[in-house]
Amino acid sequence: MAILKILQYPDARLHRVAKPVSEVTDATRKLIADMAETMYAAPGIGLAATQVDVHQCIVVIDTSETHDDLRVFINPELLSTEGDLKEHEEGCLSVPGIYDTVRRPEQVKVRALNERGESFTLEAEGLLAVCIQHEIDHLQGKVFVEYLSSLKQSRIRAKLKKRLRETL
Ligand code: NI
């Protein structure tokens, strides 16, 4: 396994739209293992392949406190969303140190393939529902800060660019 490099906002590659995985192979499973290791090491609760510059529809999530409940979503599709929009403070491994409130539907139903290529559907609510929506956004080239006001977005971009210059 290997720890992969996570793209940092505002990197244009974060806005690429991922392609569906046509066949789940050993290479897919190797990527998933590396993505999980990268997520746990960060540490984070979700990671989309887009964030490691692989533009395939793959997401890993683990919202458990014990870090032993890895969920894999290949070609995830939101079948439906339900409930009121709920505010949740979000952060992102590609936008380090920035947290802000995003409103999203409370419940989701998602269909995806697991790492063996089998189809499953899952109904989720709470943190897991937030996380699933956040990660599917990544696959569509969308970063959570794009839900914020344009003023906030430009402040965040300026802050992260400055930080990047300081670490070079
Ligand atoms: Ni993210």
Side-chain angles (χ1 to χ4, degrees):
M1 295 210 291
I3 293 189
L4 307 170
K5 190 172 180 294
I6 299 176
L7 298 178
Q8 305 287 297
Y9 182 83
D11 189 310
R13 290 171 288 182
L14 286 169
H15 303 299
R16 278 178 64 177
V17 177
K19 292 207 166 65
V21 174
S22 52
E23 195 189 350
V24 179
T25 63
D26 285 345
T28 318
R29 284 181 280 272
K30 161 92 168 59
L31 172 63
I32 288 166
D34 289 346
M35 285 174 60
E37 191 180 10
T38 304
M39 173 183 76
Y40 287 126
I45 60 172
L47 188 72
T50 306
Q51 291 177 273
V52 293
D53 201 21
V54 176
H55 301 278
Q56 297 179 25
C57 292
I58 302 173
V59 160
V60 294
I61 292 176
D62 187 344
T63 55
S64 73
E65 303 218 330
T66 41
H67 297 176
D68 58 0
D69 187 24
L70 181 69
R71 295 170 188 269
V72 174
F73 300 83
I74 300 169
N75 300 343
E77 265 180 279
L78 269 190
L79 299 177
S80 61
T81 59
E82 268 178 71
D84 296 331
L85 292 181
K86 221 173 165 189
E87 293 195 337
H88 211 280
E89 174 142 292
E90 295 189 24
C92 180
L93 294 176
S94 292
V95 197
I98 305 287
Y99 299 89
D100 215 320
T101 303
V102 178
R103 301 175 66 187
R104 300 184 189 269
E106 233 176 322
Q107 293 150 17
V108 298
K109 191 171 178 186
V110 63
R111 181 168 59 206
L113 302 176
N114 64 19
E115 67 272 34
R116 292 179 299 279
E118 302 156 347
S119 179
F120 67 95
T121 60
L122 174 76
E123 288 180 48
E125 56 180 20
L127 179 59
L128 181 58
V130 171
C131 203
I132 288 169
Q133 294 175 81
H134 177 119
E135 301 310 331
I136 289 178
D137 277 350
H138 274 303
L139 300 179
Q140 292 164 352
K142 187 165 183 175
V143 180
F144 86 98
V145 297
E146 291 170 64
Y147 289 100
L148 308 176
S149 69
S150 51
L151 178 65
K152 274 190 179 174
Q153 288 184 49
S154 48
R155 279 188 187 152
I156 291 169
R157 275 197 298 273
K159 193 171 174 180
L160 293 182
K161 278 182 185 162
K162 180 165 178 274
R163 198 185 296 159
L164 198 63
R165 278 198 305 273
E166 286 167 0
T167 54
L168 285 178

